[in-house]
Amino acid sequence: MKLTIIGTGYVGLVTGTCFAEVGHQVVCVDNDPAKIELLQNGGIPIYEPGLEDLVRKNVSAGRLSFSSSTGDGVEKSDVIFIAVPTPPQADGSVDLSFIEKVARDIAGAMTSYKIVVDKSTVPVKTGDKVTETIKRYCKAKVEFDVVSNPEFLREGFAVEDLMHPDRVVIGVRSQRPVPAMREVYDPFMAPIIITDINSAELIKHASNSFLALKISYINAISVICEAAGANVQEVANGMGMDERIGRRFLDASLGFGGSCFPKDLSAFIKIAEQIGYDFRLLKEVQRINSEQMDRFFKKIVETLWVLKDKRIGVLGLAFKQNTDDVRMSPAIELCHRLQKEGAHLRVHDPKAMEKAKSLLQDVTYVEDMNDVADGCDALVIATEWDEFKKLDLELARKRLTHPILFDGRNLFDAQEMERLGFIYKSIGR
Ligand code: UGA
């Protein structure tokens, strides 16, 4: 198939690359000429495991190319995917102006039948608006179909999620685009479900909100565990063995972040409000999430008492492991809170230090995780990077002025940490 992806962010770039990997002919378009130039010269604007090699391989095979012209992309392909950002607005709703602009640009460039697929996360009924917009701005008056095809990839595991999806959701108004959409996705050998457009759009918001709810649920349980002297990991393991519940997304933490869950929750609450439903359940999910951060911060203050002029080492800046993305990162929020109280920070992240620099200033960025503890009053784990489990704990204990470790991601075994001589405070244990 000849495919065009408009928007080369996390979703667009990984989707386009994986489409090329299974044999499609793909053009990735972005209106940022610097980004396109970087990609054309073999560079990658984001860190995502496995992506760089895959891009290189498919560019040299002639299946993947980059362009800054939407018109060029529309002309070359039969199916055009929209994968542009839908950023949050102050009132919780999302800004759909990028989607609207791309719909107009596509409409202006269409000279024959096209399938226009929305992959960006959008409020229900956006498909209708895209259809109206294309109709209005398409001078050639050619036929087209709008399809909703939400993406479920996780950052840090994006290539794996895309190559092996649990399901592919295709929302359509008529059957006409279905065979082409099947042809796009058949190589991925995943179950394909065909729905109406509104349902497809809702599947995305409902799924993300449910996953956020799952995390807030286990975080609420972690509070009870602490008060009752139980261990949240054992509770999660026991719950997770019930197949109806499942163990994934039951890791208690200092809260979820990133560019998806916080934004999608607010958007879904707003959409529900507009439709006339007060989604109090999801408001509670948000409240539990922000309280989880408050509680973790309080633990630090209660242990260290005055933070002014204390040196604190922070491991992790990305919003989760395997990514350099720091948008809405709980780790960055924690750093800001510590700084506000006058603490001096030594920080490290395996991949996110460069991107963190614009959000987090007046800290010491440390290249080696084992040097972070140097002269610090305490160490904090803020992101669940696997490599932090390999921290040289003996060395850290020696380098800390006091052997105190706050673990916001439950990476270590509490008994082992005590045996090593640490005052160790984690979540729900
Ligand atoms: C999320 C969804 O998982 C994807 O399915 C979806 O496609 C994506 O949003 C999106 O809408 O684009 P992502 O935000 O990349 O993916 O990352 P997650 O792995 O879901 O993690 C989100 C946050 O939850 C992170 O801060 C992570 O540390 C936290 N988390 C996750 C927990 O605190 N506990 C858990 O058990 C799992």
Side-chain angles (χ1 to χ4, degrees), residues 11 121 151-157 161 167 204 207-208 211 214-215 218-219 247-262 264 289 318-321 328-330 382-384 409:
V11 170
T121 301
E151 183 46 60
F152 301 102
L153 63 82
R154 293 161 301 160
E155 287 180 27
F157 303 89
D161 285 350
R167 80 301 207 187
K204 171 70 189 196
S207 299
N208 268 10
L211 291 167
K214 215 174 162 187
I215 301 168
I218 201 67
N219 279 337
R247 177 62 180 84
R248 295 172 76 189
F249 281 66
L250 280 183
D251 289 321
S253 64
L254 75 174
F256 57 75
S259 65
C260 302
F261 285 172
D264 290 354
N289 199 48
F319 82 99
K320 59 180 282 190
Q321 82 280 41
M328 300 288 287
S329 168
T383 307
E384 68 273 40
R409 299 290 184 170

Side-chain angles (χ1 to χ4, degrees), residues 85-253:
T86 49
Q89 305 193 107
D91 68 349
S93 64
V94 291
D95 176 0
L96 292 169
S97 58
F98 297 109
I99 299 267
E100 196 261 357
K101 168 80 170 60
V102 169
R104 273 192 283 141
D105 291 348
I106 295 172
M110 278 176 11
T111 51
S112 58
Y113 172 76
K114 301 284 172 188
I115 299 173
V116 180
V117 185
D118 174 44
K119 221 173 210 323
S120 303
T121 301
V122 292
V124 61
K125 291 180 182 292
T126 300
D128 291 347
K129 295 282 180 206
V130 170
T131 307
E132 273 171 39
T133 306
I134 296 179
K135 251 187 213 150
R136 195 170 304 146
Y137 288 90
C138 178
K139 290 202 187 73
K141 300 292 169 211
V142 289
E143 291 188 352
F144 65 94
D145 273 296
V146 168
V147 171
S148 167
N149 171 220
E151 183 46 60
F152 301 102
L153 63 82
R154 293 161 301 160
E155 287 180 27
F157 303 89
V159 172
E160 189 186 316
D161 285 350
L162 236 145
M163 294 306 290
H164 309 284
D166 289 342
R167 80 301 207 187
V168 173
V169 175
I170 295 172
V172 292
R173 188 194 286 273
S174 77
Q175 290 303 304
R176 186 172 178 189
V178 172
M181 291 303 294
R182 283 195 187 278
E183 207 176 325
V184 171
Y185 279 105
D186 274 346
F188 295 92
M189 299 198 293
I192 295 176
I193 62 165
I194 310 289
T195 68
D196 62 274
I197 295 182
N198 289 344
S199 301
E201 289 168 341
L202 271 176
I203 286 171
K204 171 70 189 196
H205 268 133
S207 299
N208 268 10
S209 299
F210 188 80
L211 291 167
L213 178 147
K214 215 174 162 187
I215 301 168
S216 275
Y217 185 80
I218 201 67
N219 279 337
I221 298 287
S222 79
V223 179
I224 297 171
C225 285
E226 277 182 30
N231 180 334
V232 72
Q233 280 177 317
E234 285 176 12
V235 175
N237 290 343
M239 286 170 62
M241 286 173 81
D242 184 330
E243 278 179 18
R244 292 169 302 173
I245 299 173
R247 177 62 180 84
R248 295 172 76 189
F249 281 66
L250 280 183
D251 289 321
S253 64

Side-chain angles (χ1 to χ4, degrees), residues 31-99:
N31 64 359
D32 177 353
K35 210 187 222 186
I36 291 300
E37 203 186 318
L38 175 77
L39 287 160
Q40 280 169 338
N41 292 328
I44 299 280
I46 51 170
Y47 170 72
E48 189 59 51
L51 183 62
E52 196 166 347
D53 287 349
L54 221 54
V55 169
R56 205 170 298 135
K57 177 179 161 199
N58 283 286
V59 167
S60 28
R63 288 189 297 264
L64 179 62
S65 62
F66 302 98
S67 165
S68 51
S69 155
T70 302
D72 183 35
V74 172
E75 193 195 312
K76 283 191 177 140
S77 296
D78 314 311
V79 187
I80 296 126
F81 290 80
I82 304 176
V84 294
T86 49
Q89 305 193 107
D91 68 349
S93 64
V94 291
D95 176 0
L96 292 169
S97 58
F98 297 109
I99 299 267

Side-chain angles (χ1 to χ4, degrees), residues 184-347:
V184 171
Y185 279 105
D186 274 346
F188 295 92
M189 299 198 293
I192 295 176
I193 62 165
I194 310 289
T195 68
D196 62 274
I197 295 182
N198 289 344
S199 301
E201 289 168 341
L202 271 176
I203 286 171
K204 171 70 189 196
H205 268 133
S207 299
N208 268 10
S209 299
F210 188 80
L211 291 167
L213 178 147
K214 215 174 162 187
I215 301 168
S216 275
Y217 185 80
I218 201 67
N219 279 337
I221 298 287
S222 79
V223 179
I224 297 171
C225 285
E226 277 182 30
N231 180 334
V232 72
Q233 280 177 317
E234 285 176 12
V235 175
N237 290 343
M239 286 170 62
M241 286 173 81
D242 184 330
E243 278 179 18
R244 292 169 302 173
I245 299 173
R247 177 62 180 84
R248 295 172 76 189
F249 281 66
L250 280 183
D251 289 321
S253 64
L254 75 174
F256 57 75
S259 65
C260 302
F261 285 172
K263 179 191 80 167
D264 290 354
L265 273 175
S266 302
F268 206 24
I269 291 168
K270 193 76 193 166
I271 296 159
E273 184 189 305
Q274 284 159 356
I275 286 172
Y277 178 67
D278 182 5
F279 216 147
R280 282 177 301 195
L281 178 66
L282 294 187
K283 291 179 184 167
E284 192 59 22
V285 168
Q286 290 180 316
R287 196 178 65 79
I288 293 170
N289 199 48
S290 67
E291 282 185 2
Q292 199 67 1
M293 172 62 81
D294 295 344
R295 200 169 284 111
F296 188 65
F297 184 67
K298 199 166 152 218
K299 236 178 235 179
I300 299 177
V301 175
E302 277 174 0
T303 310
L304 300 180
W305 190 22
V306 174
L307 296 186
K308 190 163 184 311
D309 293 333
K310 291 256 161 70
R311 268 161 79 113
I312 300 180
V314 179
L315 288 170
L317 297 169
F319 82 99
K320 59 180 282 190
Q321 82 280 41
N322 289 352
T323 181
D324 61 354
D325 195 348
V326 288
R327 289 175 293 171
M328 300 288 287
S329 168
I332 301 278
E333 187 189 335
L334 182 68
C335 289
H336 286 155
R337 285 197 188 198
L338 294 169
Q339 281 185 315
K340 212 165 151 222
E341 294 299 316
H344 302 293
L345 306 182
R346 290 172 61 75
V347 303

